[in-house]
Amino acid sequence: FDTPLSAAFQKQDPAYGFWLTIPSAGVAKTILRPSRGQFSWVLIDAEHGLINDTHYYELVNAVASEGASPIIRVPWGEEWMLKRALDAGAQGIVTPMCHSEEDAKKIVKYSKYPPIGTRGYGPMFAHSVPGVFGAEYDNNANDSLLVVVQIESRQGVECVEKIAAVDGIDILFIGPFDLAKQMGVQRGGEEHEAAIQRTLKAAHSSGKKAAIFCTNGEDANNRRAQGFDMISVITDVGVLAEGMLRELGVARGQ
Ligand code: 3PY
């Protein structure tokens, strides 16, 4: 089954998405509707921000009903956290702080139904999410739901080739903010950028996709030129604050 995100991977362009941190279906739809398919995915962020698992059902449905893939970032790589996000109908799961090959294997195990993994059975709402799966969910979940791990630490980068090679890992997602903090280097500095480029190369060498978080269109455009497959352009709160302040500046004649 193709989700909007996996379909976007088949085009020449990167798959663009944005970060949702406000638990509001209205916010998600307000952005997605006028974008008319230009965003193929939305990251529903339950690691940081205001979203928790009681919001998943409504947000997943809002995103899917606008033709984009709902991707949930769980707070941590715990089996029950992945299970609840998948059961709500997420088409992909992002797990933060993958530091090792063992971490990556564990995430795959938790994300897949037996015999591949140990995911418990109870997809309460996943069948009814608008769009792709319907009654075919059970038979296609293992193959079609994307397993994404974040590379955002020195340990993660040091074994990123091994992480990329793990069967069942689909996408390496760079968290540039945490990466800088965890490495103890400056964001945008030489060491930081080298770690990003190593991760991009490792993903592609293993036939996997590389994703990155950006904070504005210019940043995203640079990453597009470097060959990233999946790019988060901006966050809901970022665009709200910047847009409001920009227009206030215009109103003041600045
Ligand atoms: C990071 O930049 O650390 C992220 O995980 C994106 O929020």
Side-chain angles (χ1 to χ4, degrees), residues 172-187:
L172 303 186
F173 202 127
I174 296 165
F177 282 81
D178 272 311
L179 182 62
K181 292 239 179 268
Q182 299 272 331
M183 290 179 75
V185 298
Q186 215 189 337
R187 194 160 49 85

Side-chain angles (χ1 to χ4, degrees), residues 19 45 47-48 73 150 152 173-179 213:
W19 224 248
D45 189 8
E47 184 196 11
H48 298 295
R73 179 163 76 170
Q150 283 204 273
E152 47 187 356
F173 202 127
I174 296 165
F177 282 81
D178 272 311
L179 182 62
F213 173 84

